[in-house]
Amino acid sequence: MTIVQLEYLLAVADYGSFSIASEHCFVTQPSLSTQIKNLEEELGVILLNRSEKPMALTEAGRVVVEKARNAISEFYKVAESIKEMKNETKGNLRLAVIPTIAPYLLHRFIPDFIRQYPEINLEIKEMFTKDIAIALKHDTIDIAILAGGFTNPEEVNEEVLFDDEFYLYTSRKHDLYKKSTVTIEDVDTSRLLLLADGHCLRTQILDLCNSKRKKTYNMAFESGSLETIMRIVDTTDSITIIPAMAAAMVSDSHRDQLRPFAGKEAFRHISLAVSRTFFKRKIYEALKKTILENLQGEKEISFH
Protein backbone atom coordinates (compact mmCIF):
# COMPACT_ATOMS: atom_id res chain seq x y z
CA MET A 1 0.00 0.00 0.00
CA THR A 2 1.35 3.42 -0.96
CA ILE A 3 0.38 7.05 -0.38
CA VAL A 4 -0.10 7.42 -4.15
CA GLN A 5 -2.63 4.58 -4.21
CA LEU A 6 -4.56 6.15 -1.35
CA GLU A 7 -4.51 9.57 -3.06
CA TYR A 8 -5.88 8.03 -6.25
CA LEU A 9 -8.64 6.32 -4.28
CA LEU A 10 -9.57 9.59 -2.57
CA ALA A 11 -9.68 11.36 -5.92
CA VAL A 12 -12.13 8.81 -7.32
CA ALA A 13 -14.20 9.00 -4.13
CA ASP A 14 -14.35 12.81 -4.32
CA TYR A 15 -15.06 13.11 -8.05
CA GLY A 16 -17.03 9.90 -8.63
CA SER A 17 -15.19 9.20 -11.87
CA PHE A 18 -11.90 7.59 -12.95
CA SER A 19 -11.50 10.04 -15.83
CA ILE A 20 -12.03 13.19 -13.76
CA ALA A 21 -9.89 11.82 -10.93
CA SER A 22 -7.04 11.05 -13.33
CA GLU A 23 -7.14 14.63 -14.67
CA HIS A 24 -6.86 16.07 -11.17
CA CYS A 25 -4.05 13.65 -10.29
CA PHE A 26 -2.17 14.40 -13.54
CA VAL A 27 -1.98 10.72 -14.46
CA THR A 28 -3.49 8.60 -17.20
CA GLN A 29 -6.76 6.88 -16.44
CA PRO A 30 -5.35 3.34 -16.97
CA SER A 31 -2.50 4.05 -14.53
CA LEU A 32 -4.89 5.36 -11.88
CA SER A 33 -7.25 2.42 -12.37
CA THR A 34 -4.39 -0.08 -12.12
CA GLN A 35 -3.09 1.42 -8.88
CA ILE A 36 -6.52 1.23 -7.27
CA LYS A 37 -6.95 -2.35 -8.51
CA ASN A 38 -3.59 -3.25 -6.97
CA LEU A 39 -4.70 -1.69 -3.68
CA GLU A 40 -7.91 -3.74 -3.73
CA GLU A 41 -5.97 -6.94 -4.40
CA GLU A 42 -3.54 -6.20 -1.56
CA LEU A 43 -6.38 -5.53 0.89
CA GLY A 44 -8.50 -8.37 -0.42
CA VAL A 45 -11.66 -6.24 -0.74
CA ILE A 46 -13.55 -4.30 -3.41
CA LEU A 47 -13.36 -0.58 -2.66
CA LEU A 48 -15.44 0.86 -5.50
CA ASN A 49 -18.79 -0.09 -6.96
CA ARG A 50 -17.90 0.48 -10.60
CA SER A 51 -21.38 -0.23 -11.91
CA GLU A 52 -22.87 2.90 -10.31
CA LYS A 53 -22.83 6.36 -11.89
CA PRO A 54 -21.31 8.35 -10.29
CA MET A 55 -19.03 5.68 -8.92
CA ALA A 56 -19.74 4.85 -5.28
CA LEU A 57 -17.66 3.45 -2.44
CA THR A 58 -18.42 0.03 -1.04
CA GLU A 59 -18.69 -0.38 2.73
CA ALA A 60 -15.02 -1.39 2.82
CA GLY A 61 -14.20 1.56 0.59
CA ARG A 62 -15.80 4.02 2.99
CA VAL A 63 -13.71 2.62 5.86
CA VAL A 64 -10.48 2.83 3.85
CA VAL A 65 -11.23 6.35 2.57
CA GLU A 66 -11.87 7.66 6.07
CA LYS A 67 -8.57 6.25 7.29
CA ALA A 68 -6.78 7.33 4.12
CA ARG A 69 -7.75 10.99 4.55
CA ASN A 70 -6.16 11.06 7.98
CA ALA A 71 -3.11 9.09 6.83
CA ILE A 72 -2.42 11.37 3.86
CA SER A 73 -2.94 14.50 5.94
CA GLU A 74 -0.48 13.28 8.59
CA PHE A 75 1.99 12.18 5.89
CA TYR A 76 2.22 15.65 4.36
CA LYS A 77 2.27 17.33 7.75
CA VAL A 78 5.74 15.89 8.36
CA ALA A 79 7.49 18.12 5.81
CA GLU A 80 5.19 21.08 6.46
CA SER A 81 5.82 20.89 10.21
CA ILE A 82 9.57 21.06 9.66
CA LYS A 83 9.09 24.19 7.54
CA GLU A 84 7.04 25.71 10.34
CA MET A 85 9.73 24.79 12.87
CA LYS A 86 12.38 26.46 10.68
CA ASN A 87 10.12 29.52 10.45
CA GLU A 88 9.98 29.13 6.67
CA THR A 89 7.11 30.54 4.64
CA LYS A 90 7.03 28.00 1.86
CA GLY A 91 4.95 25.06 0.70
CA ASN A 92 1.59 24.52 -0.98
CA LEU A 93 -1.48 26.70 -0.48
CA ARG A 94 -4.81 25.47 -1.83
CA LEU A 95 -7.05 28.52 -1.63
CA ALA A 96 -10.81 28.56 -2.24
CA VAL A 97 -12.83 31.74 -2.79
CA ILE A 98 -16.59 32.16 -3.17
CA PRO A 99 -17.86 33.63 -6.49
CA THR A 100 -19.14 36.88 -4.96
CA ILE A 101 -15.67 37.67 -3.61
CA ALA A 102 -13.26 36.28 -6.21
CA PRO A 103 -13.81 38.86 -9.02
CA TYR A 104 -13.52 41.80 -6.63
CA LEU A 105 -10.74 40.82 -4.24
CA LEU A 106 -8.25 38.38 -5.78
CA HIS A 107 -6.67 40.87 -8.19
CA ARG A 108 -6.00 43.25 -5.29
CA PHE A 109 -3.61 41.00 -3.39
CA ILE A 110 -2.54 38.05 -5.56
CA PRO A 111 0.25 39.93 -7.44
CA ASP A 112 1.86 41.06 -4.17
CA PHE A 113 1.40 37.66 -2.56
CA ILE A 114 3.20 35.71 -5.28
CA ARG A 115 5.92 38.39 -5.41
CA GLN A 116 6.53 38.41 -1.65
CA TYR A 117 6.29 34.63 -1.20
CA PRO A 118 7.79 33.00 -4.30
CA GLU A 119 8.30 29.69 -2.46
CA ILE A 120 4.57 29.23 -1.84
CA ASN A 121 2.90 27.20 -4.56
CA LEU A 122 -0.55 28.78 -4.89
CA GLU A 123 -3.59 26.95 -6.25
CA ILE A 124 -6.88 28.89 -6.37
CA LYS A 125 -10.39 27.51 -6.82
CA GLU A 126 -13.70 29.34 -7.02
CA MET A 127 -16.25 27.39 -4.99
CA PHE A 128 -19.63 27.75 -3.30
CA THR A 129 -19.62 27.90 0.50
CA LYS A 130 -21.31 24.49 0.89
CA ASP A 131 -18.59 22.90 -1.26
CA ILE A 132 -15.87 24.75 0.67
CA ALA A 133 -17.15 23.29 3.93
CA ILE A 134 -16.89 19.77 2.48
CA ALA A 135 -13.46 20.45 0.99
CA LEU A 136 -12.11 21.74 4.31
CA LYS A 137 -13.48 18.67 6.07
CA HIS A 138 -11.88 16.38 3.48
CA ASP A 139 -8.61 18.38 3.51
CA THR A 140 -8.73 19.06 -0.24
CA ILE A 141 -8.23 22.81 0.34
CA ASP A 142 -6.23 24.66 3.00
CA ILE A 143 -7.83 28.09 3.38
CA ALA A 144 -11.02 29.70 2.14
CA ILE A 145 -12.08 33.32 1.72
CA LEU A 146 -15.82 33.52 2.25
CA ALA A 147 -18.72 35.39 3.78
CA GLY A 148 -18.64 34.49 7.46
CA GLY A 149 -21.28 32.62 9.35
CA PHE A 150 -22.19 29.92 6.83
CA THR A 151 -19.98 27.06 8.03
CA ASN A 152 -20.23 24.68 10.97
CA PRO A 153 -18.14 26.17 13.84
CA GLU A 154 -17.53 22.65 15.16
CA GLU A 155 -15.65 21.78 11.95
CA VAL A 156 -14.36 25.13 10.64
CA ASN A 157 -12.50 28.03 12.27
CA GLU A 158 -13.31 31.46 10.85
CA GLU A 159 -11.52 34.78 11.40
CA VAL A 160 -13.20 37.97 10.22
CA LEU A 161 -10.91 40.11 8.04
CA PHE A 162 -13.22 43.04 7.35
CA ASP A 163 -16.85 44.03 6.86
CA ASP A 164 -18.22 44.49 3.36
CA GLU A 165 -21.14 46.94 3.33
CA PHE A 166 -24.17 46.49 1.09
CA TYR A 167 -25.36 49.07 -1.43
CA LEU A 168 -28.54 49.37 -3.42
CA TYR A 169 -28.03 49.38 -7.19
CA THR A 170 -31.15 50.84 -8.77
CA SER A 171 -32.48 51.34 -12.24
CA ARG A 172 -32.88 54.97 -13.25
CA LYS A 173 -36.50 54.06 -13.93
CA HIS A 174 -37.16 52.96 -10.35
CA ASP A 175 -38.59 55.36 -7.74
CA LEU A 176 -35.62 54.79 -5.42
CA TYR A 177 -33.33 56.42 -7.98
CA LYS A 178 -34.82 59.75 -6.90
CA LYS A 179 -33.67 59.26 -3.29
CA SER A 180 -30.14 60.08 -2.14
CA THR A 181 -30.21 57.45 0.62
CA VAL A 182 -32.46 54.49 1.21
CA THR A 183 -33.37 52.17 4.05
CA ILE A 184 -33.85 48.43 4.01
CA GLU A 185 -37.57 49.07 4.49
CA ASP A 186 -37.59 50.99 1.18
CA VAL A 187 -36.56 47.91 -0.77
CA ASP A 188 -39.37 46.65 -2.98
CA THR A 189 -38.67 42.91 -3.00
CA SER A 190 -41.01 42.38 -5.95
CA ARG A 191 -38.49 44.33 -8.05
CA LEU A 192 -35.41 42.86 -6.36
CA LEU A 193 -33.16 40.76 -8.61
CA LEU A 194 -31.01 38.18 -6.82
CA LEU A 195 -28.27 35.67 -7.39
CA ALA A 196 -29.36 32.08 -7.96
CA ASP A 197 -29.70 29.49 -5.21
CA GLY A 198 -26.38 28.30 -3.83
CA HIS A 199 -24.93 31.79 -3.34
CA CYS A 200 -24.77 32.77 0.31
CA LEU A 201 -25.09 36.43 -0.74
CA ARG A 202 -28.65 35.65 -1.86
CA THR A 203 -29.47 34.25 1.58
CA GLN A 204 -27.88 37.24 3.32
CA ILE A 205 -29.89 39.74 1.30
CA LEU A 206 -33.19 37.92 1.84
CA ASP A 207 -32.44 37.74 5.57
CA LEU A 208 -31.56 41.41 5.57
CA CYS A 209 -34.85 42.29 3.88
CA ASN A 210 -36.67 39.82 6.15
CA SER A 211 -38.52 38.55 3.11
CA LYS A 212 -39.18 35.49 0.98
CA ARG A 213 -39.80 37.85 -1.96
CA LYS A 214 -43.08 39.03 -3.31
CA LYS A 215 -43.96 37.68 -6.72
CA THR A 216 -45.97 40.52 -8.21
CA TYR A 217 -43.40 41.47 -10.86
CA ASN A 218 -43.99 40.12 -14.35
CA MET A 219 -40.34 39.12 -14.75
CA ALA A 220 -38.36 36.52 -12.81
CA PHE A 221 -34.60 36.60 -13.28
CA GLU A 222 -31.79 34.99 -11.32
CA SER A 223 -28.15 34.67 -12.27
CA GLY A 224 -24.81 33.46 -10.98
CA SER A 225 -23.22 36.79 -11.90
CA LEU A 226 -23.66 40.14 -10.16
CA GLU A 227 -22.46 41.87 -13.32
CA THR A 228 -25.24 40.25 -15.37
CA ILE A 229 -27.84 41.22 -12.79
CA MET A 230 -26.67 44.85 -12.81
CA ARG A 231 -26.95 45.01 -16.60
CA ILE A 232 -30.55 43.75 -16.37
CA VAL A 233 -31.26 46.39 -13.70
CA ASP A 234 -29.89 49.03 -16.09
CA THR A 235 -32.47 48.16 -18.73
CA THR A 236 -35.54 47.51 -16.56
CA ASP A 237 -37.27 49.15 -13.60
CA SER A 238 -35.72 46.71 -11.12
CA ILE A 239 -33.15 46.91 -8.30
CA THR A 240 -30.50 44.73 -6.72
CA ILE A 241 -28.22 44.79 -3.69
CA ILE A 242 -24.47 44.43 -4.10
CA PRO A 243 -21.49 44.37 -1.69
CA ALA A 244 -19.10 47.30 -1.42
CA MET A 245 -16.27 45.46 -3.14
CA ALA A 246 -18.51 45.14 -6.22
CA ALA A 247 -19.82 48.69 -5.86
CA ALA A 248 -16.25 50.00 -5.93
CA MET A 249 -15.86 48.61 -9.44
CA VAL A 250 -19.03 50.17 -10.86
CA SER A 251 -18.06 52.46 -13.73
CA ASP A 252 -18.38 56.23 -13.42
CA SER A 253 -21.20 56.20 -15.95
CA HIS A 254 -23.32 54.06 -13.58
CA ARG A 255 -22.09 55.36 -10.21
CA ASP A 256 -25.22 57.51 -9.89
CA GLN A 257 -27.27 54.30 -9.55
CA LEU A 258 -25.64 53.36 -6.23
CA ARG A 259 -27.31 54.20 -2.93
CA PRO A 260 -25.98 53.61 0.61
CA PHE A 261 -28.31 52.19 3.22
CA ALA A 262 -29.25 54.36 6.20
CA GLY A 263 -30.43 53.10 9.55
CA LYS A 264 -30.15 49.34 9.91
CA GLU A 265 -26.60 48.04 9.48
CA ALA A 266 -26.26 46.25 6.16
CA PHE A 267 -23.04 44.34 5.59
CA ARG A 268 -21.43 40.91 5.42
CA HIS A 269 -18.33 39.67 7.22
CA ILE A 270 -15.47 38.60 4.95
CA SER A 271 -13.55 35.83 6.69
CA LEU A 272 -10.66 33.44 6.35
CA ALA A 273 -11.74 29.87 7.10
CA VAL A 274 -9.67 26.79 7.87
CA SER A 275 -10.42 23.31 9.17
CA ARG A 276 -10.00 22.51 12.86
CA THR A 277 -6.88 20.46 11.99
CA PHE A 278 -5.20 23.19 9.91
CA PHE A 279 -1.54 23.70 10.79
CA LYS A 280 0.12 25.88 8.11
CA ARG A 281 0.17 28.93 10.35
CA LYS A 282 3.06 30.73 8.60
CA ILE A 283 1.29 30.54 5.25
CA TYR A 284 -2.00 31.59 6.85
CA GLU A 285 -0.44 34.67 8.42
CA ALA A 286 1.30 35.56 5.16
CA LEU A 287 -2.01 35.42 3.29
CA LYS A 288 -3.86 37.41 5.93
CA LYS A 289 -1.12 40.08 6.08
CA THR A 290 -1.03 40.51 2.30
CA ILE A 291 -4.81 40.83 1.98
CA LEU A 292 -5.08 43.44 4.73
CA GLU A 293 -2.08 45.42 3.47
CA ASN A 294 -3.60 45.68 0.02
CA LEU A 295 -6.93 46.87 1.40
CA GLN A 296 -5.38 49.70 3.42
CA GLY A 297 -6.08 53.13 2.08
CA GLU A 298 -9.17 52.01 0.17
CA LYS A 299 -11.03 55.04 -1.05
CA GLU A 300 -14.60 55.47 0.07
CA ILE A 301 -17.20 54.96 -2.62
CA SER A 302 -18.21 58.31 -4.08
CA PHE A 303 -21.65 59.12 -5.42
CA HIS A 304 -22.80 61.65 -7.98
Side-chain angles (χ1 to χ4, degrees):
M1 183 189 311
T2 67
I3 288 293
V4 170
Q5 288 173 332
L6 295 178
E7 287 182 322
Y8 289 174
L9 175 63
L10 289 190
V12 175
D14 289 338
Y15 297 109
S17 162
F18 276 113
S19 59
I20 298 175
S22 63
E23 290 177 7
H24 283 268
C25 293
F26 302 101
V27 66
T28 64
Q29 184 175 331
S31 295
L32 182 141
S33 181
T34 297
Q35 288 292 336
I36 293 179
K37 189 65 178 176
N38 291 341
L39 178 60
E40 289 178 319
E41 290 176 356
E42 180 179 346
L43 296 175
V45 293
I46 300 298
L47 301 173
L48 297 166
N49 188 337
R50 292 165 172 80
S51 63
E52 293 188 17
K53 300 293 182 181
M55 201 169 301
L57 293 167
T58 63
E59 184 177 353
R62 287 192 291 272
V63 171
V64 173
V65 162
E66 181 181 354
K67 300 296 183 184
R69 290 194 193 282
N70 294 331
I72 291 172
S73 177
E74 293 302 319
F75 175 82
Y76 285 111
K77 280 181 182 178
V78 174
E80 296 291 347
S81 296
I82 295 300
K83 293 171 187 173
E84 291 280 315
M85 185 187 73
K86 292 180 177 180
N87 206 32
E88 296 176 341
T89 309
K90 61 169 61 175
N92 298 316
L93 171 56
R94 299 164 300 174
L95 178 67
V97 190
I98 62 173
T100 56
I101 292 179
Y104 312 111
L105 182 63
L106 289 178
H107 69 283
R108 299 186 186 186
F109 73 88
I110 291 299
D112 275 353
F113 185 79
I114 59 178
R115 177 180 56 80
Q116 292 182 46
Y117 305 100
E119 294 186 282
I120 294 179
N121 301 312
L122 180 61
E123 176 186 329
I124 306 171
K125 296 181 180 180
E126 192 172 290
M127 302 171 67
F128 287 124
T129 302
K130 61 181 178 60
D131 298 320
I132 285 174
I134 295 171
L136 286 173
K137 182 178 180 180
H138 289 172
D139 195 34
T140 55
I141 61 172
D142 297 309
I143 305 174
I145 305 175
L146 43 68
F150 285 84
T151 58
N152 184 348
E154 294 182 359
E155 297 178 346
V156 176
N157 288 327
E158 289 186 18
E159 180 182 9
V160 176
L161 291 178
F162 60 92
D163 290 336
D164 192 23
E165 294 183 358
F166 289 135
Y167 288 83
L168 181 80
Y169 185 80
T170 177
S171 165
R172 295 184 178 108
K173 302 174 185 178
H174 196 281
D175 288 344
L176 291 180
Y177 179 73
K178 302 171 185 176
K179 304 184 68 169
S180 58
T181 60
V182 297
T183 66
I184 293 299
E185 290 71 26
D186 290 329
V187 174
D188 176 5
T189 56
S190 70
R191 292 291 194 273
L192 181 64
L193 302 187
L194 295 172
L195 290 168
D197 282 333
H199 292 272
C200 56
L201 182 58
R202 171 194 174 93
T203 303
Q204 288 170 316
I205 290 173
L206 287 175
D207 288 345
L208 182 67
C209 297
N210 194 26
S211 172
K212 294 183 179 178
R213 300 186 72 190
K214 302 172 185 175
K215 296 184 179 180
T216 58
Y217 196 25
N218 64 350
M219 179 188 74
F221 179 82
E222 294 180 354
S223 171
S225 164
L226 283 176
E227 302 302 318
T228 301
I229 288 176
M230 285 190 283
R231 298 296 76 79
I232 296 298
V233 168
D234 292 341
T235 56
T236 62
D237 61 343
S238 55
I239 57 177
T240 192
I241 295 175
I242 63 175
M245 61 174 65
M249 297 182 68
V250 170
S251 66
D252 288 343
S253 61
H254 291 279
R255 192 58 61 91
D256 63 303
Q257 293 170 243
L258 287 169
R259 297 291 182 274
F261 284 107
K264 182 179 179 180
E265 291 185 339
F267 63 89
R268 60 177 180 169
H269 295 305
I270 304 302
S271 302
L272 287 182
V274 297
S275 71
R276 288 285 186 177
T277 59
F278 179 79
F279 65 97
K280 301 179 183 180
R281 301 311 307 179
K282 291 290 294 182
I283 291 179
Y284 178 94
E285 292 300 329
L287 178 67
K288 174 184 171 182
K289 174 175 174 287
T290 307
I291 293 174
L292 294 178
E293 283 179 348
N294 280 274
L295 291 178
Q296 286 180 355
E298 283 280 299
K299 294 181 180 179
E300 290 188 5
I301 297 173
S302 60
F303 304 93
H304 59 267

